[in-house]
Coordinates of all heavy atoms in Angstrom, one line a residue:
I304 N 73.6 99.9 94.8 CA 74.0 101.1 94.0 C 74.5 102.2 95.0 O 75.4 102.9 94.7 CB 72.8 101.5 93.2 CG1 72.6 100.5 92.1 CG2 73.1 102.9 92.6 CD1 71.4 100.7 91.2
V305 N 73.8 102.3 96.1 CA 74.2 103.3 97.1 C 75.6 103.0 97.6 O 76.4 103.9 97.9 CB 73.2 103.4 98.2 CG1 73.7 104.3 99.4 CG2 71.9 104.0 97.7
R306 N 75.9 101.7 97.8 CA 77.2 101.3 98.2 C 78.3 101.8 97.2 O 79.3 102.4 97.6 CB 77.3 99.8 98.3 CG 78.7 99.3 98.8 CD 78.7 97.7 98.9 NE 77.9 97.2 99.9 CZ 76.8 96.5 99.7 NH1 76.5 96.1 98.4 NH2 76.1 96.0 100.7
G307 N 78.0 101.7 95.9 CA 78.9 102.1 94.9 C 79.1 103.6 95.0 O 80.2 104.2 94.8
I308 N 78.0 104.4 95.2 CA 78.1 105.8 95.3 C 78.9 106.2 96.5 O 79.8 107.1 96.4 CB 76.7 106.4 95.4 CG1 75.9 106.1 94.1 CG2 76.7 108.0 95.6 CD1 74.4 106.5 94.2
F309 N 78.7 105.6 97.6 CA 79.5 105.9 98.8 C 81.0 105.7 98.6 O 81.8 106.5 99.1 CB 79.1 104.9 100.0 CG 77.9 105.4 100.8 CD1 76.9 104.5 101.2 CD2 77.9 106.7 101.3 CE1 75.9 105.0 102.0 CE2 76.9 107.1 102.1 CZ 75.9 106.3 102.5
L310 N 81.3 104.7 97.8 CA 82.7 104.4 97.6 C 83.3 105.1 96.4 O 84.4 104.9 96.0 CB 82.9 102.8 97.3 CG 82.5 101.9 98.5 CD1 82.5 100.5 98.1 CD2 83.5 102.2 99.7
N311 N 82.5 106.1 95.9 CA 83.0 106.9 94.7 C 83.4 106.0 93.6 O 84.4 106.3 92.9 CB 84.1 107.9 95.2 CG 83.6 108.9 96.1 OD1 82.5 109.5 95.9 ND2 84.4 109.3 97.1
S312 N 82.6 105.0 93.4 CA 82.9 104.1 92.3 C 82.9 104.8 90.9 O 81.8 105.4 90.6 CB 81.9 102.9 92.2 OG 81.9 102.3 91.0
P313 N 84.0 104.9 90.2 CA 83.9 105.6 88.9 C 82.8 105.2 88.0 O 82.2 106.0 87.3 CB 85.3 105.4 88.3 CG 86.2 105.1 89.5 CD 85.3 104.3 90.4
S314 N 82.6 103.9 87.9 CA 81.6 103.4 87.0 C 80.2 103.8 87.4 O 79.4 104.3 86.6 CB 81.6 101.8 86.9 OG 81.4 101.2 88.1
H315 N 79.9 103.7 88.7 CA 78.6 104.1 89.2 C 78.4 105.6 89.0 O 77.3 106.0 88.5 CB 78.4 103.8 90.7 CG 78.2 102.4 91.0 ND1 79.2 101.4 91.1 CD2 77.0 101.7 91.3 CE1 78.6 100.3 91.4 NE2 77.3 100.4 91.5
L316 N 79.3 106.4 89.4 CA 79.2 107.9 89.2 C 79.1 108.3 87.8 O 78.3 109.2 87.4 CB 80.3 108.6 89.9 CG 80.4 108.4 91.5 CD1 81.6 109.2 92.0 CD2 79.1 108.8 92.1
S317 N 79.8 107.6 86.9 CA 79.8 108.0 85.5 C 78.4 107.7 84.9 O 77.8 108.5 84.2 CB 80.9 107.2 84.7 OG 80.8 107.4 83.3
I318 N 77.9 106.5 85.2 CA 76.6 106.1 84.6 C 75.5 107.0 85.2 O 74.6 107.4 84.4 CB 76.3 104.6 85.0 CG1 77.3 103.7 84.2 CG2 74.9 104.2 84.6 CD1 77.2 102.2 84.7
I319 N 75.5 107.3 86.5 CA 74.5 108.1 87.0 C 74.6 109.5 86.5 O 73.6 110.2 86.2 CB 74.5 108.1 88.6 CG1 74.2 106.7 89.1 CG2 73.5 109.1 89.1 CD1 74.4 106.5 90.6
G320 N 75.8 110.0 86.2 CA 76.0 111.3 85.5 C 75.3 111.3 84.1 O 74.7 112.2 83.7
D321 N 75.5 110.2 83.4 CA 74.9 110.0 82.1 C 73.4 110.0 82.2 O 72.6 110.5 81.3 CB 75.4 108.8 81.4 CG 76.9 108.9 80.9 OD1 77.4 110.0 80.9 OD2 77.5 107.8 80.7
I322 N 72.9 109.3 83.3 CA 71.4 109.3 83.5 C 70.9 110.7 83.7 O 69.8 111.0 83.1 CB 71.1 108.4 84.7 CG1 71.4 106.9 84.3 CG2 69.7 108.6 85.3 CD1 71.3 105.9 85.5
G323 N 71.6 111.5 84.4 CA 71.1 112.9 84.6 C 71.1 113.6 83.3 O 70.2 114.4 83.0
A324 N 72.2 113.5 82.5 CA 72.2 114.2 81.2 C 71.1 113.7 80.3 O 70.6 114.5 79.5 CB 73.6 113.9 80.5
N325 N 70.8 112.4 80.4 CA 69.7 111.9 79.5 C 68.3 112.5 79.9 O 67.4 112.6 79.0 CB 69.6 110.4 79.6 CG 68.6 109.8 78.6 OD1 68.7 110.1 77.4 ND2 67.7 109.0 79.1
A326 N 68.2 112.9 81.2 CA 66.9 113.6 81.5 C 66.8 114.9 80.8 O 65.7 115.3 80.4 CB 66.9 113.9 83.1
D327 N 67.9 115.6 80.5 CA 67.8 116.8 79.7 C 67.4 116.5 78.3 O 66.6 117.3 77.7 CB 69.2 117.5 79.7 CG 69.5 118.3 81.0 OD1 68.5 118.9 81.6 OD2 70.7 118.3 81.4
S328 N 67.9 115.4 77.7 CA 67.6 115.1 76.4 C 66.1 114.7 76.2 O 65.4 115.1 75.3 CB 68.5 113.9 75.9 OG 69.8 114.2 75.9

Side-chain angles (χ1 to χ4, degrees):
I304 292 173
V305 169
R306 182 183 292 116
I308 298 170
F309 271 136
L310 295 173
N311 291 321
S312 160
S314 62
H315 283 81
L316 295 180
S317 174
I318 294 169
I319 297 175
D321 289 344
I322 286 172
N325 188 52
D327 282 325
S328 298

